[in-house]
Amino acid sequence: VRFPEDLEDDNTTFNPEYSHQVFGDDEVAFGYKGLKILLYYIAGNLSTLFRIEYTSKVSEKFDCVEADDVESKIREIIPPGYCTNTDDFVSLLEKEVNFKPFGMLLHTYSIHNEEAGEDITYQIYKADMTCPGFREYHERLQTFLMWFIETASFIDVDDERWNYFLVFEKYNKDGATLFATVGYMTVYNYYVYPDKTRPRVSQMLILPPFQGEGHGAQLLETVHRYYMSSPTVLDITAEDPSENYVKLRDFVLVKLCQDLHCFSPVKLMQGFSQEMVTEAQQKLKINKQHTRRVYEILRLRATNMGDAEQSRSYRLDIKRRLIGPYKKKQRELAKMRRCLRPEEMTNQLNQIDLNMQREQLEETFQQLVSDYRRVLERLAQA
């Protein structure tokens, strides 16, 4: 909500992707007809208005059953101090002009908005719990995780190893410049013996109204650039990354690496090398596993897949990496053969297993190439 009229504007409304962490695996609130759970957030400081509406509710006296206590379930995730009536919320909205982003400005960028017909400016800040008012703001911000990240959990904000990176949109209201929350990322700084740290991305969320505009890539690249300047950082990882995050990371890391000397087309065609691992880690804080993916994507760009020899060389190079888990499985089968009677491990069964492995290997390879092509297409448009 930026303006009072947004309260009645369905275009500013967005719905949760998940509610199982609040309402159980079935995502059901029992005992109501026409139930609406309404959560309004002021765009900048995220002050909250919470209301429940329904047309009817089951009566315990009549049906000997009790409706779910929806309000208490929501109160478990939203911090106290929220509004329950519109007038109080609107009065808070009038004070929004005083809200300013927390922490240190790291990056400013613009994105052209077709609907508005103009460039809109965004800023990325790094904050921590020493920033006045940030702890309370973060309590409100993290409530979005429960609705948009499948396995979300709240973090221990008293642990000083957490860093917070925030994205804001700058907009005008009555001649004043205001800020709207776009998204954020939390990063935990793990200790690596003897004198290094390994930042691990824990949670990352771009709010639904801003998704698909490139903010995730801007945020991740800014975070990488922030840590790149630190001599004590070994490399950057992510905790249990989602499929979408992996695609985003592929794009950002390839964008960062493509101009490194070791990723020149000539070097790429010579195969994956320790030089790539060393340069990517020292200059960009990228670990070996992610560097290998960057290499595979950039080598695909450098490869003429219409040339039979180049195509075959690329395919074999990727499959040599992919076959690792299958070889491990074959070693396990070999151990089983020594332990089991011949009739329990027939040749036919082994042959079926090998054929399945070949099919799975080819399927995995084709999927990877498809994913890599999408990264290269996005890179070409960037």
Side-chain angles (χ1 to χ4, degrees):
V1 176
R2 303 181 187 198
F3 307 95
E5 51 268 30
D6 291 342
L7 286 162
E8 306 301 327
D9 185 357
D10 287 343
N11 290 326
T12 62
T13 298
F14 51 94
N15 298 312
E17 287 182 29
Y18 308 102
S19 61
H20 63 277
Q21 298 198 96
V22 181
F23 293 105
D25 290 343
D26 294 332
E27 299 188 314
V28 169
F30 171 77
Y32 299 87
K33 276 187 178 176
L35 176 64
K36 278 187 179 180
I37 300 166
L38 304 165
L39 282 164
Y40 300 87
Y41 291 85
I42 292 177
N45 71 16
L46 303 179
S47 293
T48 312
L49 167 64
F50 168 44
R51 282 209 317 259
I52 294 175
E53 296 175 358
Y54 50 86
T55 53
S56 62
K57 180 180 177 180
V58 71
S59 164
E60 187 180 354
K61 289 179 183 175
F62 182 72
D63 292 328
C64 299
V65 290
E66 195 173 342
D68 287 347
D69 186 353
V70 171
E71 189 169 330
S72 69
K73 289 177 184 290
I74 301 294
R75 281 203 311 266
E76 284 177 14
I77 63 165
I78 64 172
Y82 57 84
C83 300
T84 55
N85 71 72
T86 306
D87 290 342
D88 290 344
F89 187 71
V90 170
S91 69
L92 286 177
L93 185 58
E94 291 167 0
K95 299 173 185 173
E96 179 73 349
V97 68
N98 299 319
F99 173 77
K100 295 291 180 282
F102 302 93
M104 173 175 65
L105 175 62
L106 297 181
H107 179 51
T108 300
Y109 62 99
S110 296
I111 293 176
H112 186 71
N113 184 289
E114 293 289 342
E115 194 176 320
E118 61 181 1
D119 289 349
I120 295 178
T121 301
Y122 300 88
Q123 293 185 326
I124 298 175
Y125 289 76
K126 176 190 172 287
D128 58 47
M129 287 298 156
T130 63
C131 300
F134 180 66
R135 181 183 291 264
E136 294 76 17
Y137 167 85
H138 177 264
E139 283 184 358
R140 298 188 290 271
L141 176 60
Q142 69 178 353
T143 61
F144 288 104
L145 297 177
M146 290 297 168
W147 309 115
F148 296 102
I149 294 182
E150 191 171 6
T151 55
S153 59
F154 292 163
I155 63 176
D156 176 12
V157 296
D158 291 320
D159 190 331
E160 294 177 358
R161 287 182 171 270
W162 284 107
N163 284 340
Y164 307 84
F165 298 88
L166 310 159
V167 188
F168 294 95
E169 176 194 331
K170 293 176 77 172
Y171 70 98
N172 292 315
K173 181 179 179 183
D174 300 329
T177 299
L178 278 75
F179 294 86
T181 301
V182 171
Y184 82 119
M185 177 192 287
T186 55
V187 180
Y188 191 77
N189 297 290
Y190 280 91
Y191 168 70
V192 180
Y193 181 84
D195 60 353
K196 300 282 187 187
T197 58
R198 173 173 281 133
R200 180 188 288 178
V201 176
S202 174
Q203 296 152 328
M204 178 179 181
L205 177 64
I206 302 298
L207 296 178
F210 303 97
Q211 289 175 6
E213 297 177 356
H215 301 292
Q218 290 280 355
L219 178 55
L220 185 56
E221 183 174 343
T222 299
V223 169
H224 256 273
R225 291 191 183 281
Y226 171 77
Y227 286 116
M228 274 158 45
S229 62
S230 173
T232 61
V233 169
L234 186 65
D235 52 37
I236 303 164
T237 62
E239 179 184 337
D240 192 20
S242 68
E243 191 177 320
N244 285 336
Y245 180 83
V246 170
K247 290 175 182 176
L248 175 69
R249 183 175 63 197
D250 283 344
F251 167 71
V252 169
L253 298 190
V254 168
K255 184 183 172 201
L256 289 170
C257 286
Q258 62 181 342
D259 296 325
L260 292 181
H261 171 70
C262 64
F263 287 103
S264 67
V266 172
K267 299 267 189 183
L268 288 164
M269 300 309 279
Q270 292 171 357
F272 187 56
S273 67
Q274 182 58 41
E275 181 191 5
M276 293 173 181
V277 175
T278 303
E279 190 171 7
Q281 184 170 46
Q282 288 180 352
K283 292 184 178 178
L284 302 175
K285 311 298 184 184
I286 300 172
N287 67 24
K288 183 176 181 179
Q289 181 185 353
H290 300 160
T291 303
R292 172 72 200 202
R293 274 184 78 90
V294 168
Y295 153 76
E296 291 178 1
I297 295 167
L298 288 174
R299 178 162 177 182
L300 177 62
R301 185 170 72 176
T303 300
N304 177 6
M305 294 300 277
D307 180 294
E309 184 54 40
Q310 286 192 35
S311 174
R312 180 176 178 275
S313 176
Y314 181 75
R315 188 172 65 252
L316 289 175
D317 187 43
I318 305 301
K319 286 189 174 181
R320 270 195 294 271
R321 176 180 68 81
L322 294 176
I323 207 166
Y326 295 101
K327 284 187 173 178
K328 183 183 177 186
K329 192 175 179 182
Q330 284 173 344
R331 288 195 295 272
E332 289 170 354
L333 279 170
K335 287 180 185 176
M336 288 170 67
R337 285 193 197 98
R338 290 197 292 270
C339 300
L340 299 175
R341 293 192 298 275
E343 58 268 26
E344 292 176 303
M345 291 285 288
T346 64
N347 288 330
Q348 186 180 6
L349 184 66
N350 292 337
Q351 189 59 45
I352 290 171
D353 189 64
L354 285 171
N355 287 337
M356 280 180 64
Q357 285 181 16
R358 289 192 192 100
E359 285 176 17
Q360 288 172 354
L361 192 63
E362 180 61 24
E363 196 177 305
T364 303
F365 171 74
Q366 293 298 341
Q367 182 60 53
L368 263 186
V369 170
S370 175
D371 290 344
Y372 290 174
R373 286 194 194 282
R374 277 195 287 272
V375 174
L376 293 172
E377 284 167 12
R378 185 175 178 185
L379 199 64
Q381 294 164 4

